[in-house]
Amino acid sequence: MPASILTLPDPRLRLHSAAVTRFDQALRDRLDALERAMRIGPGGVGIAAPQLGMLERMVIVDCRLGRRPCRNHGLLRLINPEIERGEGQVLGREGCLSVPDWVGMVPRAPQIAVRYQDERGQWQRLESTGFEARVIQHEVDHLDGILFIDRVVSVHDLTRRVPQG
């Protein structure tokens, strides 16, 4: 497994990921690797397996790590996630570890319902709102080879991120 996060123009970021079917220690090890990569990345509040070259349907989300205060579920390990419902649409600024130095305005549902499997393979559901809902949708897009730049409303909304510090 690659130790670093894949970035554009790596073609693997555009591939569809396969469903996870084995729920064992090897899966938990891959989830741990994903979480470590997310925590090392600058400002990372979510990561999807394809960003590490693993074409499997799993994402990690933890909005407690972000700069924006957000009421959320804490650390989420979502396997085979499916967004069952999204209500409304609002524009919000997004960036991505796989598209470094760029941000853009992307429309997303501010409220979603998600069905997913946990690490034991049991199906779960959760409702999410606000920033956490945005992050989940962003990461689930990765599983289908979609990047935030594909959803930017206008090329005029895509800008270089200003370095901080």
Side-chain angles (χ1 to χ4, degrees):
M1 170 175 47
S4 61
I5 294 169
L6 301 180
T7 58
L8 274 182
D10 194 303
R12 292 173 288 178
L13 292 169
R14 296 303 193 165
L15 299 175
H16 286 261
S17 297
V20 172
T21 57
R22 294 191 60 168
F23 296 83
D24 55 11
Q25 185 58 49
L27 170 66
R28 288 185 288 283
D29 292 345
R30 292 191 306 278
L31 286 165
D32 290 343
L34 265 180
E35 185 177 344
R36 281 191 304 275
M38 178 187 71
R39 294 191 190 287
I40 291 170
V45 292
I47 194 166
Q51 292 179 273
L52 288 186
M54 297 183 283
L55 295 177
E56 298 179 272
R57 298 190 74 80
M58 54 188 184
V59 302
I60 307 279
V61 172
D62 191 349
C63 291
R64 297 172 301 174
L65 307 174
R67 295 183 188 135
R68 304 181 211 180
C70 138
R71 185 174 149 234
N72 62 68
H73 295 89
L75 176 65
L76 295 172
R77 291 176 163 218
L78 308 176
I79 302 164
N80 299 322
E82 303 168 2
I83 297 174
E84 296 185 312
R85 185 183 80 251
E87 297 177 12
Q89 197 172 75
V90 295
L91 281 178
R93 188 173 170 211
E94 292 186 21
C96 181
L97 297 171
S98 290
V99 188
D101 303 327
W102 291 94
V103 295
M105 297 301 286
V106 176
R108 300 273 188 197
Q111 299 178 351
I112 60 171
V114 181
R115 180 176 181 252
Y116 67 97
Q117 287 176 281
D118 62 22
E119 295 174 43
R120 294 176 314 281
Q122 300 300 309
W123 284 100
Q124 308 289 333
R125 280 193 167 77
L126 68 84
E127 302 253 338
S128 183
T129 61
F131 182 60
E132 182 184 72
R134 176 170 295 278
V135 174
I136 292 170
Q137 291 169 85
H138 175 110
E139 300 307 336
V140 169
D141 271 354
H142 276 292
L143 304 179
D144 294 319
I146 299 169
L147 300 174
F148 87 95
I149 57 174
D150 301 325
R151 296 197 185 274
V152 169
V153 180
S154 161
V155 291
H156 299 291
D157 292 325
L158 188 61
T159 58
R160 277 212 181 270
R161 188 178 286 158
V162 177
Q164 295 186 358

